[in-house]
Amino acid sequence: MQRVTPFLWFDGQAEEAAQFYTSIFKDSKIKHVSRYGEGAPVPAGTVMTVSFLLFGQEFVALNGGPQFKFSPAVSLLVRCESQEEVDHYWDRLLDGGQAMACGWLTDKYGLAWQIIPAVFMDFIQDKDQAKVNRVMQAMMQMVKLDIAALRAAYDGK
């Protein structure tokens, strides 16, 4: 059993967002939808929570109301094995959202994502600080990350 589960607060779009996310990621599905009962601050039968899986990782989405908004201070990082994966997740999550910089975007619900090639993490953990610096300088110039350009920076080309 997963012991830490991201719990995401939405303003009425929890089920829509869960359907959107599960349409993008592999090994994903809606697990359960719970509804508000009588006496709740919203009409009985309104979706309260949606539990769903992305890559087998459980998430819960709550329709909690307009009090809280997402912020890039908390983001979900997606490690990608290829440029094709970077492009897929970037393009799908960006639909209706907003590109930021350095592989970050906010989706149409305001949730922040980092679409990061796995090799980038290897590059920035290298013991050669000059390589790390070149990769970081290249990344800081990008919006969507480009594996070939990051590798060229790592290799000093």
Side-chain angles (χ1 to χ4, degrees), residues 104-141:
W104 290 57
L105 63 86
T106 55
D107 66 28
K108 60 185 168 184
Y109 305 103
L111 184 59
W113 296 82
Q114 297 179 59
I115 310 303
I116 306 295
V119 70
F120 172 78
M121 302 306 282
D122 296 336
F123 291 162
I124 64 170
Q125 294 173 11
D126 196 287
K127 289 182 175 31
D128 184 336
Q129 193 59 48
K131 289 181 175 182
V132 172
N133 291 345
R134 288 192 307 266
V135 170
M136 289 302 294
Q137 288 174 6
M139 183 268 304
M140 296 297 287
Q141 302 303 311

PDB file of all heavy atoms in Angstrom, residues 104-141:
ATOM      1  N   TRP A 104       9.017  23.318 -17.326  1.00  0.00           N
ATOM      2  CA  TRP A 104       7.831  23.463 -16.472  1.00  0.00           C
ATOM      3  C   TRP A 104       6.655  23.982 -17.291  1.00  0.00           C
ATOM      4  O   TRP A 104       6.809  24.796 -18.197  1.00  0.00           O
ATOM      5  CB  TRP A 104       8.089  24.470 -15.360  1.00  0.00           C
ATOM      6  CG  TRP A 104       9.054  24.036 -14.308  1.00  0.00           C
ATOM      7  CD1 TRP A 104      10.340  23.630 -14.497  1.00  0.00           C
ATOM      8  CD2 TRP A 104       8.830  23.993 -12.907  1.00  0.00           C
ATOM      9  NE1 TRP A 104      10.914  23.347 -13.299  1.00  0.00           N
ATOM     10  CE2 TRP A 104      10.018  23.558 -12.297  1.00  0.00           C
ATOM     11  CE3 TRP A 104       7.727  24.284 -12.111  1.00  0.00           C
ATOM     12  CZ2 TRP A 104      10.138  23.409 -10.928  1.00  0.00           C
ATOM     13  CZ3 TRP A 104       7.860  24.141 -10.741  1.00  0.00           C
ATOM     14  CH2 TRP A 104       9.047  23.701 -10.160  1.00  0.00           C
ATOM     15  N   LEU A 105       5.462  23.540 -16.911  1.00  0.00           N
ATOM     16  CA  LEU A 105       4.223  24.064 -17.482  1.00  0.00           C
ATOM     17  C   LEU A 105       3.128  23.971 -16.431  1.00  0.00           C
ATOM     18  O   LEU A 105       3.263  23.249 -15.444  1.00  0.00           O
ATOM     19  CB  LEU A 105       3.830  23.282 -18.742  1.00  0.00           C
ATOM     20  CG  LEU A 105       3.493  21.797 -18.608  1.00  0.00           C
ATOM     21  CD1 LEU A 105       2.035  21.556 -18.244  1.00  0.00           C
ATOM     22  CD2 LEU A 105       3.805  21.085 -19.916  1.00  0.00           C
ATOM     23  N   THR A 106       2.088  24.742 -16.642  1.00  0.00           N
ATOM     24  CA  THR A 106       0.878  24.557 -15.841  1.00  0.00           C
ATOM     25  C   THR A 106      -0.197  24.069 -16.786  1.00  0.00           C
ATOM     26  O   THR A 106      -0.319  24.559 -17.909  1.00  0.00           O
ATOM     27  CB  THR A 106       0.414  25.846 -15.127  1.00  0.00           C
ATOM     28  OG1 THR A 106       0.238  26.878 -16.079  1.00  0.00           O
ATOM     29  CG2 THR A 106       1.415  26.290 -14.075  1.00  0.00           C
ATOM     30  N   ASP A 107      -0.963  23.078 -16.342  1.00  0.00           N
ATOM     31  CA  ASP A 107      -2.017  22.546 -17.197  1.00  0.00           C
ATOM     32  C   ASP A 107      -3.257  23.430 -17.104  1.00  0.00           C
ATOM     33  O   ASP A 107      -3.265  24.453 -16.410  1.00  0.00           O
ATOM     34  CB  ASP A 107      -2.307  21.076 -16.866  1.00  0.00           C
ATOM     35  CG  ASP A 107      -2.906  20.848 -15.484  1.00  0.00           C
ATOM     36  OD1 ASP A 107      -3.593  21.752 -14.936  1.00  0.00           O
ATOM     37  OD2 ASP A 107      -2.717  19.749 -14.938  1.00  0.00           O
ATOM     38  N   LYS A 108      -4.301  23.045 -17.801  1.00  0.00           N
ATOM     39  CA  LYS A 108      -5.508  23.874 -17.857  1.00  0.00           C
ATOM     40  C   LYS A 108      -6.217  23.996 -16.512  1.00  0.00           C
ATOM     41  O   LYS A 108      -7.091  24.841 -16.355  1.00  0.00           O
ATOM     42  CB  LYS A 108      -6.468  23.351 -18.925  1.00  0.00           C
ATOM     43  CG  LYS A 108      -6.958  21.938 -18.725  1.00  0.00           C
ATOM     44  CD  LYS A 108      -7.793  21.521 -19.923  1.00  0.00           C
ATOM     45  CE  LYS A 108      -8.093  20.053 -19.963  1.00  0.00           C
ATOM     46  NZ  LYS A 108      -8.826  19.718 -21.201  1.00  0.00           N
ATOM     47  N   TYR A 109      -5.832  23.202 -15.534  1.00  0.00           N
ATOM     48  CA  TYR A 109      -6.410  23.286 -14.188  1.00  0.00           C
ATOM     49  C   TYR A 109      -5.519  24.083 -13.240  1.00  0.00           C
ATOM     50  O   TYR A 109      -5.855  24.267 -12.079  1.00  0.00           O
ATOM     51  CB  TYR A 109      -6.656  21.880 -13.627  1.00  0.00           C
ATOM     52  CG  TYR A 109      -7.512  21.070 -14.564  1.00  0.00           C
ATOM     53  CD1 TYR A 109      -6.953  20.098 -15.380  1.00  0.00           C
ATOM     54  CD2 TYR A 109      -8.886  21.305 -14.674  1.00  0.00           C
ATOM     55  CE1 TYR A 109      -7.727  19.368 -16.273  1.00  0.00           C
ATOM     56  CE2 TYR A 109      -9.659  20.585 -15.569  1.00  0.00           C
ATOM     57  CZ  TYR A 109      -9.074  19.624 -16.365  1.00  0.00           C
ATOM     58  OH  TYR A 109      -9.838  18.913 -17.254  1.00  0.00           O
ATOM     59  N   GLY A 110      -4.342  24.504 -13.737  1.00  0.00           N
ATOM     60  CA  GLY A 110      -3.419  25.280 -12.922  1.00  0.00           C
ATOM     61  C   GLY A 110      -2.374  24.453 -12.206  1.00  0.00           C
ATOM     62  O   GLY A 110      -1.526  25.002 -11.500  1.00  0.00           O
ATOM     63  N   LEU A 111      -2.400  23.118 -12.374  1.00  0.00           N
ATOM     64  CA  LEU A 111      -1.422  22.251 -11.725  1.00  0.00           C
ATOM     65  C   LEU A 111      -0.094  22.333 -12.476  1.00  0.00           C
ATOM     66  O   LEU A 111      -0.060  22.257 -13.703  1.00  0.00           O
ATOM     67  CB  LEU A 111      -1.936  20.806 -11.708  1.00  0.00           C
ATOM     68  CG  LEU A 111      -1.091  19.773 -10.985  1.00  0.00           C
ATOM     69  CD1 LEU A 111      -0.888  20.132  -9.523  1.00  0.00           C
ATOM     70  CD2 LEU A 111      -1.747  18.387 -11.101  1.00  0.00           C
ATOM     71  N   ALA A 112       0.997  22.503 -11.737  1.00  0.00           N
ATOM     72  CA  ALA A 112       2.328  22.625 -12.339  1.00  0.00           C
ATOM     73  C   ALA A 112       2.956  21.244 -12.541  1.00  0.00           C
ATOM     74  O   ALA A 112       2.849  20.364 -11.687  1.00  0.00           O
ATOM     75  CB  ALA A 112       3.229  23.482 -11.456  1.00  0.00           C
ATOM     76  N   TRP A 113       3.599  21.100 -13.691  1.00  0.00           N
ATOM     77  CA  TRP A 113       4.281  19.864 -14.069  1.00  0.00           C
ATOM     78  C   TRP A 113       5.691  20.200 -14.525  1.00  0.00           C
ATOM     79  O   TRP A 113       5.908  21.243 -15.137  1.00  0.00           O
ATOM     80  CB  TRP A 113       3.562  19.187 -15.233  1.00  0.00           C
ATOM     81  CG  TRP A 113       2.171  18.731 -14.931  1.00  0.00           C
ATOM     82  CD1 TRP A 113       1.029  19.500 -14.945  1.00  0.00           C
ATOM     83  CD2 TRP A 113       1.758  17.418 -14.579  1.00  0.00           C
ATOM     84  NE1 TRP A 113      -0.052  18.726 -14.626  1.00  0.00           N
ATOM     85  CE2 TRP A 113       0.360  17.439 -14.398  1.00  0.00           C
ATOM     86  CE3 TRP A 113       2.440  16.206 -14.412  1.00  0.00           C
ATOM     87  CZ2 TRP A 113      -0.361  16.317 -14.054  1.00  0.00           C
ATOM     88  CZ3 TRP A 113       1.714  15.076 -14.062  1.00  0.00           C
ATOM     89  CH2 TRP A 113       0.330  15.137 -13.888  1.00  0.00           C
ATOM     90  N   GLN A 114       6.623  19.288 -14.276  1.00  0.00           N
ATOM     91  CA  GLN A 114       7.966  19.350 -14.836  1.00  0.00           C
ATOM     92  C   GLN A 114       8.114  18.136 -15.746  1.00  0.00           C
ATOM     93  O   GLN A 114       7.984  17.003 -15.284  1.00  0.00           O
ATOM     94  CB  GLN A 114       9.024  19.281 -13.751  1.00  0.00           C
ATOM     95  CG  GLN A 114       9.000  20.434 -12.779  1.00  0.00           C
ATOM     96  CD  GLN A 114      10.082  20.251 -11.741  1.00  0.00           C
ATOM     97  OE1 GLN A 114      11.256  20.171 -12.063  1.00  0.00           O
ATOM     98  NE2 GLN A 114       9.668  20.175 -10.484  1.00  0.00           N
ATOM     99  N   ILE A 115       8.354  18.372 -17.016  1.00  0.00           N
ATOM    100  CA  ILE A 115       8.531  17.287 -17.980  1.00  0.00           C
ATOM    101  C   ILE A 115      10.036  17.198 -18.232  1.00  0.00           C
ATOM    102  O   ILE A 115      10.601  18.011 -18.971  1.00  0.00           O
ATOM    103  CB  ILE A 115       7.730  17.556 -19.271  1.00  0.00           C
ATOM    104  CG1 ILE A 115       6.267  17.915 -18.950  1.00  0.00           C
ATOM    105  CG2 ILE A 115       7.830  16.354 -20.203  1.00  0.00           C
ATOM    106  CD1 ILE A 115       5.515  16.880 -18.129  1.00  0.00           C
ATOM    107  N   ILE A 116      10.657  16.206 -17.604  1.00  0.00           N
ATOM    108  CA  ILE A 116      12.111  16.158 -17.511  1.00  0.00           C
ATOM    109  C   ILE A 116      12.657  14.853 -18.095  1.00  0.00           C
ATOM    110  O   ILE A 116      12.254  13.764 -17.665  1.00  0.00           O
ATOM    111  CB  ILE A 116      12.556  16.266 -16.026  1.00  0.00           C
ATOM    112  CG1 ILE A 116      11.949  17.513 -15.364  1.00  0.00           C
ATOM    113  CG2 ILE A 116      14.068  16.228 -15.901  1.00  0.00           C
ATOM    114  CD1 ILE A 116      12.411  18.828 -15.921  1.00  0.00           C
ATOM    115  N   PRO A 117      13.612  14.948 -19.016  1.00  0.00           N
ATOM    116  CA  PRO A 117      14.267  13.728 -19.490  1.00  0.00           C
ATOM    117  C   PRO A 117      15.074  13.105 -18.349  1.00  0.00           C
ATOM    118  O   PRO A 117      15.780  13.812 -17.618  1.00  0.00           O
ATOM    119  CB  PRO A 117      15.206  14.219 -20.591  1.00  0.00           C
ATOM    120  CG  PRO A 117      14.824  15.624 -20.888  1.00  0.00           C
ATOM    121  CD  PRO A 117      14.102  16.144 -19.701  1.00  0.00           C
ATOM    122  N   ALA A 118      14.993  11.794 -18.198  1.00  0.00           N
ATOM    123  CA  ALA A 118      15.729  11.109 -17.138  1.00  0.00           C
ATOM    124  C   ALA A 118      17.228  11.387 -17.250  1.00  0.00           C
ATOM    125  O   ALA A 118      17.911  11.547 -16.232  1.00  0.00           O
ATOM    126  CB  ALA A 118      15.437   9.613 -17.183  1.00  0.00           C
ATOM    127  N   VAL A 119      17.724  11.494 -18.474  1.00  0.00           N
ATOM    128  CA  VAL A 119      19.146  11.736 -18.680  1.00  0.00           C
ATOM    129  C   VAL A 119      19.568  13.099 -18.115  1.00  0.00           C
ATOM    130  O   VAL A 119      20.718  13.269 -17.691  1.00  0.00           O
ATOM    131  CB  VAL A 119      19.518  11.580 -20.179  1.00  0.00           C
ATOM    132  CG1 VAL A 119      18.943  12.704 -21.017  1.00  0.00           C
ATOM    133  CG2 VAL A 119      21.004  11.452 -20.359  1.00  0.00           C
ATOM    134  N   PHE A 120      18.673  14.052 -18.067  1.00  0.00           N
ATOM    135  CA  PHE A 120      18.987  15.362 -17.478  1.00  0.00           C
ATOM    136  C   PHE A 120      19.408  15.193 -16.024  1.00  0.00           C
ATOM    137  O   PHE A 120      20.371  15.819 -15.567  1.00  0.00           O
ATOM    138  CB  PHE A 120      17.791  16.308 -17.580  1.00  0.00           C
ATOM    139  CG  PHE A 120      17.975  17.603 -16.834  1.00  0.00           C
ATOM    140  CD1 PHE A 120      18.757  18.616 -17.372  1.00  0.00           C
ATOM    141  CD2 PHE A 120      17.384  17.804 -15.599  1.00  0.00           C
ATOM    142  CE1 PHE A 120      18.948  19.812 -16.683  1.00  0.00           C
ATOM    143  CE2 PHE A 120      17.565  18.998 -14.909  1.00  0.00           C
ATOM    144  CZ  PHE A 120      18.347  20.002 -15.453  1.00  0.00           C
ATOM    145  N   MET A 121      18.697  14.329 -15.297  1.00  0.00           N
ATOM    146  CA  MET A 121      19.028  14.104 -13.893  1.00  0.00           C
ATOM    147  C   MET A 121      20.432  13.490 -13.776  1.00  0.00           C
ATOM    148  O   MET A 121      21.191  13.846 -12.872  1.00  0.00           O
ATOM    149  CB  MET A 121      17.989  13.214 -13.228  1.00  0.00           C
ATOM    150  CG  MET A 121      16.561  13.776 -13.301  1.00  0.00           C
ATOM    151  SD  MET A 121      16.375  15.446 -12.658  1.00  0.00           S
ATOM    152  CE  MET A 121      16.376  15.109 -10.915  1.00  0.00           C
ATOM    153  N   ASP A 122      20.780  12.608 -14.703  1.00  0.00           N
ATOM    154  CA  ASP A 122      22.134  12.042 -14.717  1.00  0.00           C
ATOM    155  C   ASP A 122      23.159  13.132 -14.989  1.00  0.00           C
ATOM    156  O   ASP A 122      24.208  13.192 -14.327  1.00  0.00           O
ATOM    157  CB  ASP A 122      22.261  10.957 -15.790  1.00  0.00           C
ATOM    158  CG  ASP A 122      21.368   9.756 -15.531  1.00  0.00           C
ATOM    159  OD1 ASP A 122      21.000   9.510 -14.359  1.00  0.00           O
ATOM    160  OD2 ASP A 122      21.026   9.062 -16.506  1.00  0.00           O
ATOM    161  N   PHE A 123      22.874  13.987 -15.962  1.00  0.00           N
ATOM    162  CA  PHE A 123      23.813  15.049 -16.323  1.00  0.00           C
ATOM    163  C   PHE A 123      24.101  15.970 -15.137  1.00  0.00           C
ATOM    164  O   PHE A 123      25.251  16.328 -14.897  1.00  0.00           O
ATOM    165  CB  PHE A 123      23.274  15.886 -17.484  1.00  0.00           C
ATOM    166  CG  PHE A 123      23.209  15.185 -18.812  1.00  0.00           C
ATOM    167  CD1 PHE A 123      22.406  15.702 -19.823  1.00  0.00           C
ATOM    168  CD2 PHE A 123      23.924  14.029 -19.078  1.00  0.00           C
ATOM    169  CE1 PHE A 123      22.336  15.087 -21.067  1.00  0.00           C
ATOM    170  CE2 PHE A 123      23.856  13.407 -20.314  1.00  0.00           C
ATOM    171  CZ  PHE A 123      23.059  13.933 -21.311  1.00  0.00           C
ATOM    172  N   ILE A 124      23.079  16.378 -14.423  1.00  0.00           N
ATOM    173  CA  ILE A 124      23.301  17.362 -13.350  1.00  0.00           C
ATOM    174  C   ILE A 124      23.851  16.733 -12.064  1.00  0.00           C
ATOM    175  O   ILE A 124      24.195  17.451 -11.130  1.00  0.00           O
ATOM    176  CB  ILE A 124      22.040  18.199 -13.052  1.00  0.00           C
ATOM    177  CG1 ILE A 124      20.905  17.347 -12.514  1.00  0.00           C
ATOM    178  CG2 ILE A 124      21.632  18.996 -14.284  1.00  0.00           C
ATOM    179  CD1 ILE A 124      19.731  18.149 -11.980  1.00  0.00           C
ATOM    180  N   GLN A 125      23.959  15.412 -12.057  1.00  0.00           N
ATOM    181  CA  GLN A 125      24.579  14.743 -10.903  1.00  0.00           C
ATOM    182  C   GLN A 125      26.015  14.310 -11.196  1.00  0.00           C
ATOM    183  O   GLN A 125      26.654  13.658 -10.381  1.00  0.00           O
ATOM    184  CB  GLN A 125      23.725  13.547 -10.488  1.00  0.00           C
ATOM    185  CG  GLN A 125      22.380  13.964  -9.948  1.00  0.00           C
ATOM    186  CD  GLN A 125      21.453  12.799  -9.687  1.00  0.00           C
ATOM    187  OE1 GLN A 125      21.847  11.645  -9.709  1.00  0.00           O
ATOM    188  NE2 GLN A 125      20.189  13.109  -9.424  1.00  0.00           N
ATOM    189  N   ASP A 126      26.531  14.712 -12.348  1.00  0.00           N
ATOM    190  CA  ASP A 126      27.900  14.360 -12.732  1.00  0.00           C
ATOM    191  C   ASP A 126      28.889  15.013 -11.770  1.00  0.00           C
ATOM    192  O   ASP A 126      28.641  16.111 -11.264  1.00  0.00           O
ATOM    193  CB  ASP A 126      28.161  14.835 -14.172  1.00  0.00           C
ATOM    194  CG  ASP A 126      29.388  14.189 -14.775  1.00  0.00           C
ATOM    195  OD1 ASP A 126      30.518  14.571 -14.374  1.00  0.00           O
ATOM    196  OD2 ASP A 126      29.230  13.306 -15.636  1.00  0.00           O
ATOM    197  N   LYS A 127      30.011  14.364 -11.551  1.00  0.00           N
ATOM    198  CA  LYS A 127      31.039  14.920 -10.659  1.00  0.00           C
ATOM    199  C   LYS A 127      31.809  16.066 -11.316  1.00  0.00           C
ATOM    200  O   LYS A 127      32.438  16.865 -10.624  1.00  0.00           O
ATOM    201  CB  LYS A 127      31.992  13.806 -10.241  1.00  0.00           C
ATOM    202  CG  LYS A 127      31.376  12.804  -9.292  1.00  0.00           C
ATOM    203  CD  LYS A 127      32.388  11.761  -8.890  1.00  0.00           C
ATOM    204  CE  LYS A 127      31.985  10.770  -7.885  1.00  0.00           C
ATOM    205  NZ  LYS A 127      30.784  10.255  -7.635  1.00  0.00           N
ATOM    206  N   ASP A 128      31.742  16.160 -12.638  1.00  0.00           N
ATOM    207  CA  ASP A 128      32.427  17.222 -13.379  1.00  0.00           C
ATOM    208  C   ASP A 128      31.541  18.473 -13.383  1.00  0.00           C
ATOM    209  O   ASP A 128      30.562  18.559 -14.133  1.00  0.00           O
ATOM    210  CB  ASP A 128      32.720  16.745 -14.806  1.00  0.00           C
ATOM    211  CG  ASP A 128      33.518  17.746 -15.630  1.00  0.00           C
ATOM    212  OD1 ASP A 128      33.481  18.960 -15.315  1.00  0.00           O
ATOM    213  OD2 ASP A 128      34.157  17.308 -16.606  1.00  0.00           O
ATOM    214  N   GLN A 129      31.892  19.435 -12.552  1.00  0.00           N
ATOM    215  CA  GLN A 129      31.065  20.628 -12.387  1.00  0.00           C
ATOM    216  C   GLN A 129      30.966  21.446 -13.669  1.00  0.00           C
ATOM    217  O   GLN A 129      29.946  22.093 -13.911  1.00  0.00           O
ATOM    218  CB  GLN A 129      31.580  21.502 -11.238  1.00  0.00           C
ATOM    219  CG  GLN A 129      30.608  22.574 -10.801  1.00  0.00           C
ATOM    220  CD  GLN A 129      29.266  22.021 -10.330  1.00  0.00           C
ATOM    221  OE1 GLN A 129      29.207  21.086  -9.540  1.00  0.00           O
ATOM    222  NE2 GLN A 129      28.169  22.591 -10.822  1.00  0.00           N
ATOM    223  N   ALA A 130      31.968  21.401 -14.520  1.00  0.00           N
ATOM    224  CA  ALA A 130      31.907  22.138 -15.788  1.00  0.00           C
ATOM    225  C   ALA A 130      30.789  21.573 -16.669  1.00  0.00           C
ATOM    226  O   ALA A 130      30.048  22.334 -17.308  1.00  0.00           O
ATOM    227  CB  ALA A 130      33.249  22.073 -16.508  1.00  0.00           C
ATOM    228  N   LYS A 131      30.651  20.250 -16.692  1.00  0.00           N
ATOM    229  CA  LYS A 131      29.578  19.620 -17.454  1.00  0.00           C
ATOM    230  C   LYS A 131      28.213  20.023 -16.884  1.00  0.00           C
ATOM    231  O   LYS A 131      27.293  20.368 -17.624  1.00  0.00           O
ATOM    232  CB  LYS A 131      29.710  18.094 -17.443  1.00  0.00           C
ATOM    233  CG  LYS A 131      30.851  17.569 -18.256  1.00  0.00           C
ATOM    234  CD  LYS A 131      30.895  16.040 -18.195  1.00  0.00           C
ATOM    235  CE  LYS A 131      31.969  15.484 -19.098  1.00  0.00           C
ATOM    236  NZ  LYS A 131      31.981  14.011 -19.084  1.00  0.00           N
ATOM    237  N   VAL A 132      28.108  19.975 -15.570  1.00  0.00           N
ATOM    238  CA  VAL A 132      26.855  20.350 -14.901  1.00  0.00           C
ATOM    239  C   VAL A 132      26.505  21.796 -15.240  1.00  0.00           C
ATOM    240  O   VAL A 132      25.355  22.100 -15.575  1.00  0.00           O
ATOM    241  CB  VAL A 132      26.955  20.143 -13.369  1.00  0.00           C
ATOM    242  CG1 VAL A 132      25.733  20.711 -12.661  1.00  0.00           C
ATOM    243  CG2 VAL A 132      27.154  18.672 -13.027  1.00  0.00           C
ATOM    244  N   ASN A 133      27.483  22.676 -15.170  1.00  0.00           N
ATOM    245  CA  ASN A 133      27.240  24.093 -15.468  1.00  0.00           C
ATOM    246  C   ASN A 133      26.764  24.295 -16.898  1.00  0.00           C
ATOM    247  O   ASN A 133      25.832  25.070 -17.142  1.00  0.00           O
ATOM    248  CB  ASN A 133      28.498  24.919 -15.205  1.00  0.00           C
ATOM    249  CG  ASN A 133      28.838  25.016 -13.731  1.00  0.00           C
ATOM    250  OD1 ASN A 133      28.024  24.707 -12.865  1.00  0.00           O
ATOM    251  ND2 ASN A 133      30.066  25.427 -13.453  1.00  0.00           N
ATOM    252  N   ARG A 134      27.395  23.604 -17.859  1.00  0.00           N
ATOM    253  CA  ARG A 134      26.972  23.737 -19.261  1.00  0.00           C
ATOM    254  C   ARG A 134      25.542  23.256 -19.460  1.00  0.00           C
ATOM    255  O   ARG A 134      24.747  23.897 -20.155  1.00  0.00           O
ATOM    256  CB  ARG A 134      27.931  22.958 -20.183  1.00  0.00           C
ATOM    257  CG  ARG A 134      29.296  23.585 -20.339  1.00  0.00           C
ATOM    258  CD  ARG A 134      30.091  22.958 -21.470  1.00  0.00           C
ATOM    259  NE  ARG A 134      30.211  21.505 -21.409  1.00  0.00           N
ATOM    260  CZ  ARG A 134      31.227  20.843 -20.860  1.00  0.00           C
ATOM    261  NH1 ARG A 134      32.233  21.516 -20.305  1.00  0.00           N
ATOM    262  NH2 ARG A 134      31.250  19.519 -20.888  1.00  0.00           N
ATOM    263  N   VAL A 135      25.215  22.128 -18.842  1.00  0.00           N
ATOM    264  CA  VAL A 135      23.852  21.589 -18.962  1.00  0.00           C
ATOM    265  C   VAL A 135      22.848  22.552 -18.337  1.00  0.00           C
ATOM    266  O   VAL A 135      21.795  22.831 -18.924  1.00  0.00           O
ATOM    267  CB  VAL A 135      23.747  20.182 -18.328  1.00  0.00           C
ATOM    268  CG1 VAL A 135      22.298  19.734 -18.222  1.00  0.00           C
ATOM    269  CG2 VAL A 135      24.565  19.177 -19.137  1.00  0.00           C
ATOM    270  N   MET A 136      23.156  23.066 -17.173  1.00  0.00           N
ATOM    271  CA  MET A 136      22.232  24.002 -16.510  1.00  0.00           C
ATOM    272  C   MET A 136      22.064  25.280 -17.336  1.00  0.00           C
ATOM    273  O   MET A 136      20.948  25.788 -17.461  1.00  0.00           O
ATOM    274  CB  MET A 136      22.728  24.337 -15.100  1.00  0.00           C
ATOM    275  CG  MET A 136      22.602  23.182 -14.124  1.00  0.00           C
ATOM    276  SD  MET A 136      20.900  22.588 -13.952  1.00  0.00           S
ATOM    277  CE  MET A 136      20.128  24.017 -13.199  1.00  0.00           C
ATOM    278  N   GLN A 137      23.148  25.798 -17.913  1.00  0.00           N
ATOM    279  CA  GLN A 137      23.039  26.997 -18.748  1.00  0.00           C
ATOM    280  C   GLN A 137      22.176  26.725 -19.976  1.00  0.00           C
ATOM    281  O   GLN A 137      21.345  27.553 -20.350  1.00  0.00           O
ATOM    282  CB  GLN A 137      24.425  27.494 -19.150  1.00  0.00           C
ATOM    283  CG  GLN A 137      25.172  28.116 -18.002  1.00  0.00           C
ATOM    284  CD  GLN A 137      26.598  28.483 -18.358  1.00  0.00           C
ATOM    285  OE1 GLN A 137      27.022  28.378 -19.506  1.00  0.00           O
ATOM    286  NE2 GLN A 137      27.355  28.930 -17.358  1.00  0.00           N
ATOM    287  N   ALA A 138      22.349  25.559 -20.586  1.00  0.00           N
ATOM    288  CA  ALA A 138      21.523  25.205 -21.749  1.00  0.00           C
ATOM    289  C   ALA A 138      20.061  25.085 -21.339  1.00  0.00           C
ATOM    290  O   ALA A 138      19.163  25.607 -22.013  1.00  0.00           O
ATOM    291  CB  ALA A 138      22.022  23.898 -22.364  1.00  0.00           C
ATOM    292  N   MET A 139      19.802  24.395 -20.227  1.00  0.00           N
ATOM    293  CA  MET A 139      18.427  24.191 -19.761  1.00  0.00           C
ATOM    294  C   MET A 139      17.737  25.515 -19.448  1.00  0.00           C
ATOM    295  O   MET A 139      16.558  25.689 -19.754  1.00  0.00           O
ATOM    296  CB  MET A 139      18.431  23.284 -18.523  1.00  0.00           C
ATOM    297  CG  MET A 139      17.061  22.931 -17.990  1.00  0.00           C
ATOM    298  SD  MET A 139      16.414  24.030 -16.710  1.00  0.00           S
ATOM    299  CE  MET A 139      17.676  23.973 -15.468  1.00  0.00           C
ATOM    300  N   MET A 140      18.475  26.450 -18.897  1.00  0.00           N
ATOM    301  CA  MET A 140      17.884  27.742 -18.527  1.00  0.00           C
ATOM    302  C   MET A 140      17.427  28.543 -19.758  1.00  0.00           C
ATOM    303  O   MET A 140      16.622  29.455 -19.618  1.00  0.00           O
ATOM    304  CB  MET A 140      18.884  28.570 -17.708  1.00  0.00           C
ATOM    305  CG  MET A 140      19.245  27.946 -16.368  1.00  0.00           C
ATOM    306  SD  MET A 140      17.858  27.800 -15.241  1.00  0.00           S
ATOM    307  CE  MET A 140      17.650  29.493 -14.775  1.00  0.00           C
ATOM    308  N   GLN A 141      17.894  28.180 -20.943  1.00  0.00           N
ATOM    309  CA  GLN A 141      17.496  28.857 -22.182  1.00  0.00           C
ATOM    310  C   GLN A 141      16.288  28.195 -22.836  1.00  0.00           C
ATOM    311  O   GLN A 141      15.775  28.700 -23.828  1.00  0.00           O
ATOM    312  CB  GLN A 141      18.664  28.866 -23.173  1.00  0.00           C
ATOM    313  CG  GLN A 141      19.917  29.536 -22.634  1.00  0.00           C
ATOM    314  CD  GLN A 141      19.675  30.963 -22.188  1.00  0.00           C
ATOM    315  OE1 GLN A 141      19.079  31.744 -22.913  1.00  0.00           O
ATOM    316  NE2 GLN A 141      20.114  31.295 -20.990  1.00  0.00           N
TER     317      GLN A 141
END
